[in-house]
Amino acid sequence: MSLRRTKIVATIGPASSSPEVLEQLILAGLNVARLNFSHGTPAEHRERAELIRSIAAKHGRYVALLGDLQGPKIRIARFANKRIQLKEGDNFTFSTTHPKDQGNQDIVCIDYPDLVTDCKVGDELLLDDGLIQMRVESVSADSLHCRVLVGGPLSDHKGINRRGGGLTAPALTDKDKQDIRLAAELNLDYLAVSFPRDAADMNLARRLRDEAGSTAWLVSKIERAEAVMDDDTLHSLIDASDAVMVARGDLAVEIGDAELVGIQKKIIAAARHRNKAVITATQMMESMIHNPMPTRAEVSDVANAALDYTDAVMLSAETAAGSYPVEAVKAMDRVCLGAEKNPIMRRSMHRLGQQFERWDESIAMAAMYTANHFPGIKAIISLTESGYTPLVMSRIRSSMPIYAFAPSRETQARVALFRGVYTIPFDPSDYPVDQVSQAAVDELVKRNVVTEGDWVILTKGDSYHTVGGTNSMKLLRVGDHHQ
């Protein structure tokens, strides 16, 4: 059985909250469970988190939990009759003073007063992820008067974007601040920040996370045009994050869908180059909300993200609210394994001509170079406290499995997101110093990963409980006695 290197993130919602379905998702290969704070109550998220952890433990699986903050998605209020139908050429008004539940064919309240001051005549507004498009014809003190360019049905609470971005909403709302405290209480492994504009938004999220007492790694969702306008902004945003998500829904609306594929590839490459994990998200198998099989185009999309070396591919409504949540995870698993058979997946430029920033990064790179060039090697063992060394190793293209031998629950779950990295619970302090290497190799033998005569690479630090302490690499032959 070949191990899948590309990881699968799936959103947990009404279609996937029962113990039976969660168990099937975990057995089908779920690596990271996403709790979407835009929906559901704190009690529901708490119950889901506990269930996922207990079912995963029962099967000896390691599933990371990712909380996704709602962020300042700008939305319209409500219609008196729930929905309207707009046609090309219709006039339509967004007003900050119209009653919130009295929208009609001509006007709706907007929950975000700055929209009026942020927009000018000629701007294009996109609603419901770009399905409806309008142009601003005139602006008054409390209203935007628009003409419909592309019509369709419009219902309560749909989101609004402006083509080209530039809406000024801060990235963290009062609800987000409450949800950061919930993430701390639930011991979530990752926390995704919606609509960050720049590094400052992520630094604020980090401060709030620390104040709440959470150790979750922060994922910046790249979904604003401003975030990808120039390389400096993108790189500083990535540097201020622990991982990034290519959030293709809002991003495509703001930059235009024709630009999206190139930007996706650019973000994945930039994140990997900067030693960060990266998730590719939105509509990856959208048709599976209603169908048991994906389309050819969706298969191609998921496979291409895997070929780009994304750490993970993500399912949203497919597993949260769709009719076929388990089939969607199985389809993703199958497509990723197929893509990973391609020989291009093993070729690496190995950061030639680059200098390394840290000694543990240097050891990680030396290990990967050796693994890719010494034919007898079958596995890499990384004795790791924080998960950083296996993260850096997994930035290099390789088909070599990387085993993160970690003592803490946090690290065991966290590495579930990293491409080609697998958890083995292991505490070096349980063994005399001269028996640690042998004990680590024995763990792989016990799991039938390696047999006598195979070689493994082992990286470790002189002190086992120091973050950033990896300073040595050994080549060990299975069957020899090791100290």
Side-chain angles (χ1 to χ4, degrees):
M1 166 191 140
S2 66
L3 287 167
R4 169 171 42 80
R5 299 181 70 79
T6 313
K7 303 304 181 75
I8 294 174
V9 184
T11 306
I12 308 305
S16 48
S17 291
S18 71
E20 298 76 28
V21 176
L22 283 172
E23 185 160 43
Q24 287 178 277
L25 291 176
I26 289 168
L27 292 174
L30 172 68
N31 303 108
V32 181
R34 172 176 174 251
L35 305 175
N36 184 359
F37 291 145
S38 299
H39 305 287
T41 63
E44 285 170 331
H45 293 309
R46 188 175 295 111
E47 189 182 349
R48 288 165 184 172
E50 287 167 5
L51 258 178
I52 291 160
R53 286 198 168 131
S54 66
I55 295 168
K58 180 176 114 181
H59 291 286
R61 303 286 179 107
Y62 298 87
V63 175
L65 290 180
L66 172 122
D68 197 329
L69 299 174
Q70 180 173 341
K73 189 158 178 112
I74 299 166
R75 297 174 188 275
I76 59 172
R78 298 188 298 283
F79 292 97
N81 297 325
K82 295 281 184 222
R83 65 193 294 139
I84 59 167
Q85 186 75 28
L86 292 169
K87 300 192 304 296
E88 183 184 344
D90 285 356
N91 292 315
F92 193 78
T93 297
F94 299 101
S95 159
T96 57
T97 52
H98 191 76
K100 286 200 168 188
D101 54 357
Q102 292 298 309
N104 58 39
Q105 192 63 41
D106 305 305
I107 188 166
V108 74
C109 177
I110 178 82
D111 281 343
Y112 175 68
D114 287 345
L115 184 73
V116 174
T117 48
D118 281 352
C119 290
K120 59 186 190 304
V121 171
D123 281 355
E124 278 188 35
L125 297 179
L126 304 114
L127 288 99
D128 194 7
D129 278 353
L131 295 178
I132 291 178
Q133 301 182 12
M134 304 188 186
R135 187 170 54 237
V136 179
E137 300 286 324
S138 66
V139 182
S140 59
D142 64 352
S143 301
L144 294 176
H145 305 282
C146 305
R147 182 170 299 252
V148 176
L149 304 175
V150 177
L154 184 61
S155 53
D156 297 351
H157 298 305
K158 290 297 182 206
I160 290 195
N161 301 75
R162 180 170 73 175
R163 187 166 318 276
L167 300 180
T168 55
L172 291 155
T173 64
D174 291 339
K175 174 177 162 41
D176 294 334
K177 290 169 187 173
Q178 287 172 352
D179 286 335
I180 290 173
R181 292 194 284 276
L182 177 64
E185 186 197 323
L186 302 183
N187 276 328
L188 297 190
D189 306 298
Y190 289 94
L191 190 60
V193 178
S194 294
F195 302 99
R197 292 160 299 192
D198 50 28
D201 282 340
M202 293 309 293
N203 294 337
L204 171 61
R206 196 169 293 277
R207 200 186 80 224
L208 294 168
R209 177 206 69 177
D210 292 347
E211 286 168 8
S214 165
T215 55
W217 278 22
L218 292 184
V219 183
S220 59
K221 292 169 70 177
I222 300 184
E223 52 192 342
R224 281 184 167 180
E226 301 93 292
V228 295
M229 280 295 185
D230 62 76
D231 287 354
D232 288 346
T233 308
L234 177 62
H235 293 167
S236 62
L237 180 58
I238 294 172
D239 288 340
S241 316
D242 301 305
V244 301
M245 183 189 292
V246 190
R248 304 183 306 177
D250 286 283
L251 186 59
V253 170
E254 292 206 356
I255 66 172
D257 50 12
E259 303 282 322
L260 181 68
V261 174
I263 292 284
Q264 171 178 317
K265 290 176 184 293
K266 179 178 178 171
I267 295 168
I268 293 172
R272 294 184 59 76
H273 196 74
R274 306 179 96 75
N275 291 337
K276 310 291 179 173
V278 54
I279 302 165
T280 304
T282 321
Q283 293 184 341
M284 298 211 85
M285 290 195 160
E286 187 85 348
S287 74
M288 289 195 73
I289 295 171
H290 304 298
N291 298 304
M293 291 285 287
T295 64
R296 295 280 177 273
E298 288 164 343
V299 167
S300 178
D301 181 36
V302 171
N304 262 308
L307 289 167
D308 287 339
Y309 243 64
T310 189
D311 283 271
V313 284
M314 188 172 113
L315 294 161
S316 300
E318 299 96 333
T319 51
S323 304
Y324 300 97
V326 177
E327 288 82 353
V329 171
K330 287 180 173 171
M332 253 187 178
D333 175 67
R334 191 171 65 242
V335 172
C336 290
L337 279 167
E340 289 164 16
K341 292 193 175 107
N342 191 311
I344 196 172
M345 301 301 266
R346 292 187 282 283
R347 274 188 226 129
S348 171
M349 289 307 290
H350 285 289
R351 304 195 181 187
L352 295 172
Q354 247 195 292
Q355 292 192 323
F356 303 137
E357 303 288 317
R358 304 167 39 152
W359 66 78
D360 49 357
E361 185 185 4
S362 306
I363 293 290
M365 292 301 168
M368 294 314 293
Y369 196 84
T370 308
N372 280 351
H373 290 82
F374 184 49
I377 291 171
K378 292 291 184 289
I380 297 167
I381 296 171
S382 173
L383 302 187
T384 181
E385 187 64 29
S386 68
Y388 184 76
T389 299
L391 171 69
V392 176
M393 287 177 178
S394 64
R395 301 309 82 188
I396 293 293
R397 284 180 181 257
S398 170
S399 54
M400 194 60 59
I402 300 162
Y403 291 92
F405 279 54
S408 72
R409 187 212 66 78
E410 286 82 5
T411 303
Q412 290 161 10
R414 179 173 296 142
V415 302
L417 176 64
F418 304 160
R419 185 180 185 90
V421 177
Y422 313 97
T423 295
I424 291 187
F426 185 84
D427 191 341
S429 56
D430 290 346
Y431 303 91
V433 173
D434 61 353
Q435 289 174 29
V436 170
S437 298
Q438 186 65 51
V441 173
D442 290 346
E443 284 290 330
L444 291 189
V445 173
K446 194 166 81 188
R447 288 168 166 77
N448 298 318
V449 174
V450 293
T451 56
E452 197 161 331
D454 290 341
W455 288 84
V456 298
I457 293 173
L458 179 116
T459 66
K460 64 185 189 68
D462 291 335
S463 159
Y464 291 120
H465 293 295
T466 309
V467 171
T470 298
N471 63 3
S472 59
M473 170 181 126
K474 291 179 168 182
L475 278 172
L476 306 172
R477 190 164 59 185
V478 181
D480 296 356
H481 180 69
H482 303 295
Q483 291 199 352

